[in-house]
Amino acid sequence: MRCQSLMEQRFSASKILLTNSCTSALEISAFLCDIDNESEVILPSYTFVSTANAFLMRGAKLRFVDIREDTLNMDERLIEPLLTPASKAIVPVHYAGISCNMDEIERIAKKNQLHIIEDAAQGVNAQYKSRFLGTMGSLGTFSFHETKNFICGEGGALIINDKTLIEKAEIIREKGTNRSQFFRGEIDKYTWVDVGSSYLPSDILAAFLYAQLENIDRITARRRHIYTQYLELLTPLTERGILRLPYVPDECTTNYHMFYILVKNEGVQKSLLQHLKDRGIHAVFHYVPLHTSPIGQSLGYRAGMLPVTERVSASLIRLPFYYELDDKTILRITSEIKTFFST
Ligand SMILES: *Cc1c(COP(=O)(O)O)cnc(C)c1O
């Protein structure tokens, strides 16, 4: 409860419910928006599997949209051609804590009466035109998984901006019962009132999370420092056209979730990853596009359908990025990258 109110205040959100993961929050969202086997959902292929699973689980048809070359977020210019009478929701994923073009996505959603469900797993405490990510769609989701900015091992949150969905969300999260209303003293017995599941986090993890949330600014300052170091040390390589670094549009305030580099092609990506691995540096690629995965192919997608997604997936490298990462290590990582490109 204390985590929830702290976040509601901090992010100016009308209602936030803690969940046991962002995956759970996405599943609740699909429930809440009445996604079923006659619905179509528009989402990027360049994302984590949970973004898609939540909707596939409800039987929805997934309409994957390609991403923009600059922010690596869903390309809002490609959404309208995908719309059909069955379209129910758009799911913007704010990659690396940098917002999608929400003005345009909101315009399209409003015009076509679609839900927006923001996957802000990576975007906690980041902003778009002074609005916090996760608070713009009918629903938004956060992750507190150990790989994210603010952590409690496993955890997440559902941000409910459409007030008409609050009561149903509480019921779904509480195994289909009205236990939340019971605890508030609004009813004298609690019972089974809808379909639901178990999406509550444990109090112990919530207590851990509370300490993280109290230190949001300190954690963010540290991450800003790491990000800035990488940026300064690697910018000379961009001038030589060897690689590209993250792009943050003017209207976006990042939360410094990750630092990635984009190299020329898959060959360079593979050999640089190996070069770093041989020197004990754990850098990783990001993601196998969902549309070329075995499940994506079983849904009728093929390589070649989303060219930007495929190109980015074959050229992106995520550099190590965690709170304790010190300047010396950052210097060593960037020197190894420079060595790789100078030979
Ligand atoms: C991490 C992540 C998730 C899943 O978060 P969990 O809390 O681990 O369930 C979903 N979507 C995106 C974009 C993510 O990065």
Side-chain angles (χ1 to χ4, degrees), residues 270-284 332 336:
K270 275 211 177 108
S271 42
L272 178 53
L273 280 173
Q274 190 60 48
H275 174 88
L276 295 173
K277 194 174 167 199
D278 293 344
R279 284 152 188 84
I281 297 166
H282 187 63
V284 292
R332 191 167 74 82
E336 287 300 350

Side-chain angles (χ1 to χ4, degrees), residues 21-24 26 47-48 50-51 93 119 121-122 142-145 147-148 154-156 287:
S21 66
C22 178
T23 302
S24 296
L26 286 161
T47 181
F48 187 62
S50 297
T51 320
V93 176
D119 181 341
Q122 303 176 13
F142 286 163
S143 174
F144 306 114
H145 184 259
T147 52
K148 303 302 199 288
E154 291 276 3
Y287 306 105

Side-chain angles (χ1 to χ4, degrees), residues 25-35 54-55 58 117 139:
L26 286 161
E27 286 178 27
I28 301 174
S29 303
F31 250 114
L32 285 173
C33 295
D34 296 320
I35 303 295
F55 301 97
R58 314 285 309 159
I117 301 166
L139 297 161

Side-chain angles (χ1 to χ4, degrees), residues 129-148:
K129 298 190 175 179
S130 307
R131 292 191 290 168
F132 283 97
L133 306 194
T135 65
M136 296 174 278
S138 341
L139 297 161
T141 64
F142 286 163
S143 174
F144 306 114
H145 184 259
E146 61 181 29
T147 52
K148 303 302 199 288

Side-chain angles (χ1 to χ4, degrees), residues 12-191:
S12 316
S14 44
K15 187 73 192 174
I16 297 190
L17 296 178
L18 280 189
T19 58
N20 46 19
S21 66
C22 178
T23 302
S24 296
L26 286 161
E27 286 178 27
I28 301 174
S29 303
F31 250 114
L32 285 173
C33 295
D34 296 320
I35 303 295
D36 59 20
N37 59 7
E38 288 175 6
S39 311
E40 292 187 11
V41 174
I42 294 163
L43 73 167
S45 159
Y46 189 69
T47 181
F48 187 62
V49 291
S50 297
T51 320
N53 268 327
F55 301 97
L56 194 58
M57 218 175 247
R58 314 285 309 159
K61 179 168 178 188
L62 304 179
R63 303 292 304 252
F64 289 121
V65 62
D66 211 352
I67 52 173
R68 296 174 58 107
E69 294 268 6
D70 53 5
T71 56
L72 318 186
N73 281 328
M74 71 165 31
D75 190 335
E76 65 283 355
R77 295 160 297 194
L78 304 177
I79 296 174
E80 279 180 309
L82 294 179
L83 296 178
T84 73
S87 303
K88 270 271 184 68
I90 305 177
V91 189
V93 176
H94 305 298
Y95 186 72
I98 295 159
S99 181
C100 296
N101 181 340
M102 291 308 290
D103 279 353
E104 183 59 12
I105 293 171
E106 282 177 331
R107 187 193 65 77
I108 297 168
K110 203 163 173 194
K111 187 171 143 203
N112 299 282
Q113 295 182 314
L114 305 172
H115 282 291
I116 295 176
I117 301 166
E118 296 177 73
D119 181 341
Q122 303 176 13
V124 183
N125 198 40
Q127 290 176 294
Y128 174 76
K129 298 190 175 179
S130 307
R131 292 191 290 168
F132 283 97
L133 306 194
T135 65
M136 296 174 278
S138 341
L139 297 161
T141 64
F142 286 163
S143 174
F144 306 114
H145 184 259
E146 61 181 29
T147 52
K148 303 302 199 288
N149 288 30
F150 315 104
I151 58 174
C152 64
E154 291 276 3
L158 176 68
I159 304 100
I160 310 168
N161 307 306
D162 176 346
K163 292 198 177 72
T164 62
L165 300 175
I166 295 175
E167 190 177 316
K168 191 166 176 201
E170 288 179 337
I171 290 167
I172 294 172
R173 189 179 68 143
E174 277 279 14
K175 298 119 184 142
T177 73
N178 51 6
R179 193 158 173 257
S180 300
Q181 285 168 288
F182 174 70
F183 277 141
R184 285 196 294 267
E186 293 164 14
I187 46 171
D188 36 331
K189 276 186 203 153
Y190 81 84
T191 182

